[in-house]
C-alpha cells in the first residue's frame, strides 16, 4: 500500500511539473523514495535469509520487483536515467549519488552453479569441481561444498597493470576512465570426505583422508555494454586453485590429489591435437581427451603447481564478452548489490570492509 501511494504521489508530482518548480518538494519525495527503499530492502533480505528457495522464492521475487521500481524512480528523479531531464542541485545530489561499485562484495545468496548435487549435513550446496572451474582442474568429478563467495571489483587505471595475456581490445580500455574493471570471483570451498557425502563416490574422492579446504579464484574483467545501460559485460581470463589450510598434512594431501591428475598443456594447438589423437578417435570419451579439447577451445595454458600447492591457468581466448557473459545491475547502493546474470540467475551481494 505504501509503495502504491508513493508511486501515485511521484506521478502527480511529475505530471504537474512540480519537480522543476520546487527543489524542496523534490527533496521531500526523494526522502519518501529512500524510506520506501529501506523497507523493501529489509523485506528482500528477510526473504533471502528465511526461505530455503533463496532468490527463487516468490517472496524474494515480489520484493525485488518493488525494489527495482523504487530504484528506477530514484534514478529518474535525479536525471540519471535516459529520457528524463531534471535540474540538478546540491539537495538532489546528496540523495542520488552514483554509488561506487568498486570494492569487495560477499555473496549472501546461494551459489548458482549448474547441476547442484544436493547439500551436505550443514545445508551447504554440493557441486563438482568441474562445474565450478570450467572443467579446467582435474580430477573434475570431486564433490565440493561452498562456504563463501566473494566478488572483488576495482578500476583499472593503466594498461601496464594488466597481465600480458589480457587481449589487446581490453587493454585499450585501460585509459584512466574507470570503464575497465577487474571482476574476480573467489570461492571458499571444501572437498568433502567420502563418508560425508552419503552416496557412491569416485575413486579420486574415496582416497581423501579428511575434508580439504580450498580457495578457487576466477579472474576476469568487465566493461559497460555499449547498447544496454546498467549491463556489465564480463571476460574471464584465468584462475587459481589453492589449499586454504596451512598445515603440512593438508598441503601434502592436496598436492598428492592434484599433481597425480595434472595434464601438460602447450600453447601450440597442433601439439595438443596430437595428444588428443593419441588418446583415441574423435568420439573418445576419456577424461584426458575431453580435458585437452577443453584447453584447445579456451586456449587454456596451465601453470606449474607452486610449492604451497597453488595451481593456476590463463586463457588466451577469454570466456565471455558483449552479449555472451554479462550481469545486469538491478539495484545498487553503498551496502548491497543485486544482479541478474546472462543465464537468468539472480545474485545478491553485501559490501565488505577491506579489513574483513
Amino acid at each position: 500500500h505504501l509503495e502504491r501511494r508513493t508511486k501515485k504521489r511521484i506521478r502527480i508530482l511529475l505530471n504537474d511539473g512540480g519537480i522543476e518548480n520546487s527543489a524542496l518538494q523534490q527533496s521531500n519525495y526523494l526522502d519518501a523514495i529512500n524510506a520506501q527503499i529501506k523497507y523493501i530492502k529489509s523485506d528482500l533480505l528477510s526473504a533471502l535469509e528465511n526461505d530455503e528457495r533463496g532468490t527463487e522464492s516468490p517472496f524474494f521475487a515480489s520484493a525485488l520487483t518493488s525494489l527495482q521500481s523504487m530504484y528506477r524512480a530514484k534514478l529518474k528523479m535525479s536525471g540519471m536515467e535516459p529520457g528524463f531531464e531534471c535540474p540538478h542541485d546540491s539537495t538532489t545530489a546528496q540523495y542520488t549519488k552514483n554509488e561506487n561499485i568498486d570494492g569487495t562484495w560477499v555473496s549472501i545468496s546461494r551459489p548458482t552453479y549448474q547441476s547442484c548435487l544436493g547439500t551436505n549435513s550443514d545445508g551447504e550446496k554440493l557441486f563438482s569441481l568441474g562445474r565450478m572451474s570450467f572443467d579446467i582442474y582435474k580430477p573434475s568429478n570431486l564433490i565440493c561444498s561452498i562456504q563463501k563467495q566473494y566478488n572483488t571489483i576495482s578500476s583499472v587505471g593503466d594498461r601496464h597493470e594488466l597481465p600480458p595475456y589480457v587481449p589487446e581490445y581490453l587493454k585499450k580500455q585501460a585509459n584512466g576512465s574507470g570503464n575497465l574493471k577487474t571482476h574476480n570471483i573467489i570461492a571458499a570451498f571444501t572437498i568433502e570426505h567420502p563418508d560425508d557425502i552419503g552416496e557412491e563416490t569416485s575413486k579420486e574422492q574415496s582416497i581423501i583422508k579428511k575434508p580439504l579446504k580450498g580457495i578457487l579464484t576466477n579472474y576476469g574483467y568487465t566493461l559497460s555494454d555499449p547498447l544496454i545501460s546498467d549491463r556489465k559485460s564480463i571476460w574471464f581470463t584465468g584462475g587459481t586453485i589453492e589449499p586454504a589450510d596451512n598445515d603440512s598434512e593438508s598441503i601434502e594431501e592436496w598436492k598428492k590429489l592434484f599433481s597425480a591428475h595434472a595434464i601438460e598443456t602447450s600453447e601450440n594447438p597442433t601439439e595438443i591435437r596430437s595428444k588428443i589423437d593419441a588418446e583415441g578417435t574423435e568420439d573418445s570419451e576419456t577424461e584426458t581427451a575431453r580435458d585437452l579439447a577443453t584447453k584447445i577451445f579456451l586456449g587454456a595454458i596451465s601453470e606449474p603447481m607452486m610449492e604451497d600447492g597453488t595451481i593456476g591457468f590463463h586463457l588466451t581466448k577469454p570466456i565471455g564478452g558483449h552479449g555472451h557473459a554479462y550481469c545486469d545491475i538491478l539495484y545498487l547502493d553503498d551496502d548491497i548489490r543485486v544482479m541478474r546474470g546472462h543465464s537468468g540467475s539472480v545474485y545478491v551481494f553485501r559490501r565488505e570492509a577491506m579489513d574483513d
Side-chain angles (χ1 to χ4, degrees), residues 72 81 90 176 182 214 231 247 258 328 337:
R72 285 194 297 267
E81 184 166 296
S90 58
T182 63
R231 172 168 292 182
D247 64 283
F258 285 99
D328 294 330
R337 172 167 53 103

Side-chain angles (χ1 to χ4, degrees), residues 28-320:
N28 290 340
Y29 280 96
L30 283 169
D31 279 339
I33 289 176
N34 284 324
Q36 182 66 7
I37 284 176
K38 180 179 178 180
Y39 289 121
I40 299 173
K41 271 177 59 177
S42 178
D43 290 342
L44 180 137
L45 296 176
S46 177
L48 193 63
E49 179 180 359
N50 298 319
D51 195 316
E52 292 183 354
R53 293 168 291 183
T55 57
E56 298 179 357
S57 159
F59 303 105
F60 176 88
S62 176
L64 179 58
T65 298
S66 299
L67 185 61
Q68 284 183 266
S69 178
M70 290 292 99
Y71 185 52
R72 285 194 297 267
K74 177 179 177 178
L75 295 182
K76 281 187 177 182
M77 293 191 73
S78 65
M80 293 168 61
E81 184 166 296
F84 185 88
E85 295 184 1
C86 175
H88 294 274
D89 55 35
S90 58
T91 305
T92 303
Q94 67 175 315
Y95 293 102
T96 57
K97 68 185 182 73
N98 186 15
E99 287 84 0
N100 186 10
I101 197 172
D102 289 18
T104 300
W105 301 81
V106 61
S107 175
I108 53 176
S109 52
R110 289 172 173 261
T112 56
Y113 297 109
Q114 293 182 349
S115 303
C116 177
L117 301 175
T119 58
N120 62 11
S121 57
D122 294 324
E124 298 164 337
K125 284 190 173 184
L126 299 173
F127 301 91
S128 71
L129 180 60
R131 285 294 183 186
M132 297 164 55
S133 63
F134 310 117
D135 271 324
I136 291 292
Y137 303 112
K138 303 297 174 182
S140 59
N141 56 0
L142 292 173
I143 298 177
C144 307
S145 58
I146 298 178
Q147 284 72 55
K148 284 278 189 180
Q149 285 184 299
Y150 295 88
N151 181 203
T152 60
I153 301 174
S154 62
S155 299
V156 180
D158 188 275
R159 61 182 294 143
H160 299 296
E161 300 175 19
L162 300 171
Y165 53 80
V166 172
E168 184 63 26
Y169 58 83
L170 289 180
K171 289 182 179 179
K172 289 181 178 178
Q173 300 297 322
N175 52 19
S177 65
N179 187 29
L180 181 66
K181 298 180 183 293
T182 63
H183 186 86
N184 304 328
I185 299 174
I186 305 166
F189 71 98
T190 300
I191 303 172
E192 296 284 332
H193 187 275
D195 292 345
D196 298 330
I197 298 174
E199 60 181 49
E200 186 176 349
T201 59
S202 64
K203 177 179 67 175
E204 293 82 4
Q205 195 108 26
S206 63
I207 66 173
I208 296 175
K209 296 179 180 179
K210 66 173 187 176
L212 294 175
K213 296 184 180 297
I215 300 172
L216 176 71
T217 304
N218 290 320
Y219 297 104
Y221 298 89
T222 64
L223 286 174
S224 297
D225 188 283
L227 301 176
I228 302 175
S229 62
D230 292 328
R231 172 168 292 182
K232 302 295 182 181
S233 300
I234 305 171
W235 287 260
F236 288 106
T237 58
T240 57
I241 187 171
E242 59 191 290
D245 293 324
N246 294 323
D247 64 283
S248 58
E249 181 183 358
S250 296
I251 292 177
E252 287 306 311
E253 283 293 314
W254 178 279
K255 293 168 72 172
K256 182 170 65 175
L257 178 63
F258 285 99
S259 61
H261 296 84
I263 298 176
E264 294 182 0
T265 60
S266 168
E267 295 195 31
N268 186 339
T270 303
E271 293 181 17
I272 301 179
R273 172 58 65 186
S274 66
K275 292 182 181 181
I276 293 181
D277 293 340
E279 292 291 334
T281 60
E282 283 193 4
D283 60 351
S284 170
E285 290 298 320
T286 66
E287 182 176 335
T288 302
R290 289 197 306 273
D291 175 74
L292 291 172
T294 298
K295 293 179 184 297
I296 284 180
F297 179 73
L298 300 177
I301 306 300
S302 295
E303 299 163 2
M305 179 183 289
M306 298 174 65
E307 186 62 31
D308 63 0
T310 299
I311 307 169
F313 74 96
H314 64 268
L315 304 176
T316 59
K317 303 174 184 177
I319 300 171

